[in-house]
Amino acid sequence: MKLFDVYPLFDVNIVKGQGCKVWDEKGQEYLDLYGGHAVISIGHSHPHYIQKVTEQLGQIGFYSNSVVNKLQQQLAERLGKISGYEDYQLFLINSGAEANENALKLASFKNPTAQRILSCEHAFHGRTSLAVEVTNNPKIVAPINDNHHVRFLPLNDIEPWIRELSRGGVAAVILECIQGVGGIQMATPDFAQKLAYACKRFGATLICDEIQCGYGRSGKFFAHQWLGIKPDIITVAKGIANGFPMSGVLISPDFEPVYGQLGTTFGGNHLACAAALAVLDVFEKEHLVDNAREVGDYLMEQIKQTDSPHIKDVRGRGLMIGIELDIPHKDVRQPLIYQEHCFTGCAGQNTLRLLPPLCLSKAEADEFISKFKKVLATL
C-alpha cells in the first residue's frame, strides 16, 4: 500500500522541534514561521507540555464520554476565564472542520425552519460535509456536498448581508474575522458590528470561526475581540492543544443542550484535555497573547520597511501576517525553505502567510527578515 497522493510535498523530513526551530533527518535546522498550519501555539516540544502529557498518559489516555471527566470541566472553567466567556458552554471534538460542523448543526437545531447559511467570499471552514459547503472553493466541494444551502458574500460590504438576512430563512452566518486561506483579509469593526446587529435582528446565529485566527494569535485571545462583537458560537482548534488533535465549540447560554443532540467518540479525551490545559498554563505563565501582539507588531513593521518592489502589501494582526507579492509566492517560498531553511505558509497565488508559534522572539523575527531579504535580493 502507498499513500493517497493528495498533498504536494516539500522534500524535507522534519524529525525534531524545539521552540520556533525544527530539524530534518540530516540535522539541518529550520526557522519555523508557519507552526504546522498555525497549530504550534506554545512552541515545539515545550517542557511543561511534555511533562503534563506524559504524566496523563501514565495514568489514563482515553475513556469514553459516558463517564465524568473532570479534566473537561477544568478546561471549560479555565478557557472561559482566560477568554472572557465564562457564561458560555463548551463542547469538545477533534478538528476544526468538526467544530464548524457542530456549530452549524446547533444553529440549525435552534432555527429548524431556516435552510440557508451565509458565508464570506474566499472563506475556508473545513473539508467535511457542511464545513466544506460553507468553504468558497468549488474544487474541494464534492457534488454530494453541494446542497445549495450557502450564499457567499463579500467581506466588509454589509449591504448584501443585510439584504440576504432580511429575506429570512438564514440559520447561520459564519465569519473568519481574519481570513487565513483567503489571504489574511480582515473584517472591519464597522462591518462586524453591523453584521452582528443584523443577525440578532433577523434571528440568525452568528458563528465566529477562530480556528486559525483565535487562541491568542491576533494579539487578543480571539480575533473578534478587536471588533467589538460577541458571537453566539465560537469555534476553536489548531493551537488549542499544540499539535494534539482537539477542537472546541464555545456556545452561548441561549442554547439549551439536549441529550444526544451532539456526540463524539474521541473528543475531549483525557490526553487531549491534559494537552489543552498545559497550553493554557503556558499561555498564562509566558504571556503569549501579549507576546503575539508585541512581536507581531514588530515583525510587520520590519516587513513594511523592507525595500523591495516585490512587496505589494503587508496585513494582519499579531502573529498572523500576510505578505502580498507581485510574483508567485513559490518564487519566494521555495528558496526560503531550500536555501535559507525557513518555513512559511502561503495563500492564493501571491501571498506568503506567516503563522509562527506565539513564543516567537524579536531576535527570531529579525532572523526571518534577514533570510527574507536575501531571497528578495536574488529575484
Side-chain angles (χ1 to χ4, degrees), residues 138-214:
K139 293 180 180 179
I140 65 171
V141 180
I144 199 170
N145 301 129
D146 190 9
N147 294 311
H148 309 291
H149 295 116
V150 185
R151 182 74 183 270
F152 295 102
L153 301 173
L155 183 68
N156 294 330
D157 181 1
I158 191 61
E159 292 306 320
W161 297 81
I162 293 176
R163 193 160 52 244
E164 288 295 325
L165 284 162
S166 67
R167 287 177 52 203
V170 176
V173 169
I174 187 165
L175 174 69
E176 298 164 276
C177 295
I178 306 175
Q179 292 184 328
V181 174
I184 317 297
Q185 304 293 340
M186 299 191 293
T188 65
D190 181 68
F191 168 78
Q193 290 168 25
K194 288 177 178 176
L195 181 60
Y197 175 79
C199 286
K200 293 291 185 188
R201 179 183 174 191
F202 295 108
T205 294
L206 177 60
I207 302 167
C208 277
D209 177 340
E210 292 272 358
I211 287 161
Q212 189 171 127
C213 60

Side-chain angles (χ1 to χ4, degrees), residues 60-106:
I60 187 169
F62 174 84
Y63 203 71
S64 85
N65 283 311
S66 62
V67 300
V68 171
N69 180 349
K70 291 188 176 180
L71 293 174
Q72 291 183 357
Q73 298 167 2
Q74 292 173 29
L75 179 58
E77 292 170 5
R78 292 275 304 280
L79 181 55
K81 185 175 181 179
I82 195 173
S83 69
Y85 281 92
E86 291 182 88
D87 60 333
Y88 274 44
Q89 306 159 91
L90 179 64
F91 181 68
L92 295 167
I93 48 280
N94 310 286
S95 70
E98 195 175 349
N100 284 333
E101 290 282 344
N102 282 282
L104 291 163
K105 283 179 67 176
L106 283 171

Side-chain angles (χ1 to χ4, degrees), residues 113-353:
T113 62
Q115 298 290 313
R116 299 198 301 135
I117 305 168
L118 303 183
S119 183
C120 275
E121 293 174 356
H122 310 298
F124 186 92
H125 297 290
R127 295 176 180 269
T128 60
S129 193
L130 266 177
V132 80
E133 194 176 353
V134 295
T135 291
N136 191 203
N137 182 355
K139 293 180 180 179
I140 65 171
V141 180
I144 199 170
N145 301 129
D146 190 9
N147 294 311
H148 309 291
H149 295 116
V150 185
R151 182 74 183 270
F152 295 102
L153 301 173
L155 183 68
N156 294 330
D157 181 1
I158 191 61
E159 292 306 320
W161 297 81
I162 293 176
R163 193 160 52 244
E164 288 295 325
L165 284 162
S166 67
R167 287 177 52 203
V170 176
V173 169
I174 187 165
L175 174 69
E176 298 164 276
C177 295
I178 306 175
Q179 292 184 328
V181 174
I184 317 297
Q185 304 293 340
M186 299 191 293
T188 65
D190 181 68
F191 168 78
Q193 290 168 25
K194 288 177 178 176
L195 181 60
Y197 175 79
C199 286
K200 293 291 185 188
R201 179 183 174 191
F202 295 108
T205 294
L206 177 60
I207 302 167
C208 277
D209 177 340
E210 292 272 358
I211 287 161
Q212 189 171 127
C213 60
Y215 243 60
R217 180 158 295 281
S218 74
K220 289 186 182 289
F221 198 85
F222 289 129
H224 70 260
Q225 290 168 329
W226 288 101
L227 305 178
I229 62 172
K230 190 171 186 178
D232 301 299
I233 297 177
I234 304 159
T235 56
V236 295
K238 293 198 181 290
I240 185 174
N242 204 53
F244 196 96
M246 192 184 201
S247 65
V249 186
L250 283 67
I251 306 160
S252 160
D254 293 339
F255 288 77
E256 187 73 28
V258 177
Y259 284 153
Q261 186 179 52
L262 304 179
T264 173
T265 296
F266 295 106
N269 65 73
H270 294 74
L271 197 55
C273 286
L277 286 164
V279 166
L280 292 182
D281 289 342
V282 177
F283 260 62
E284 292 175 334
K285 185 175 181 180
E286 299 184 10
H287 309 289
L288 291 188
V289 179
D290 293 337
N291 188 72
R293 182 168 61 251
E294 181 181 345
V295 177
D297 288 349
Y298 174 79
L299 179 55
M300 284 188 64
E301 187 58 34
Q302 296 304 306
I303 298 168
K304 289 177 180 177
Q305 291 179 12
T306 299
D307 185 17
S308 172
H310 296 301
I311 299 176
K312 291 178 61 179
D313 191 22
V314 182
R315 53 185 178 262
R317 288 191 192 277
L319 289 173
M320 186 172 185
I321 299 171
I323 308 170
E324 187 176 340
L325 306 167
D326 70 348
I327 54 177
H329 56 65
K330 66 181 179 64
D331 294 350
V332 176
R333 194 178 181 210
Q334 291 198 1
L336 272 173
I337 293 173
Y338 292 120
Q339 297 168 26
E340 296 301 323
H341 306 116
C342 176
F343 281 104
T344 67
C346 62
Q349 298 299 315
N350 300 88
T351 301
L352 284 182
R353 193 162 33 134

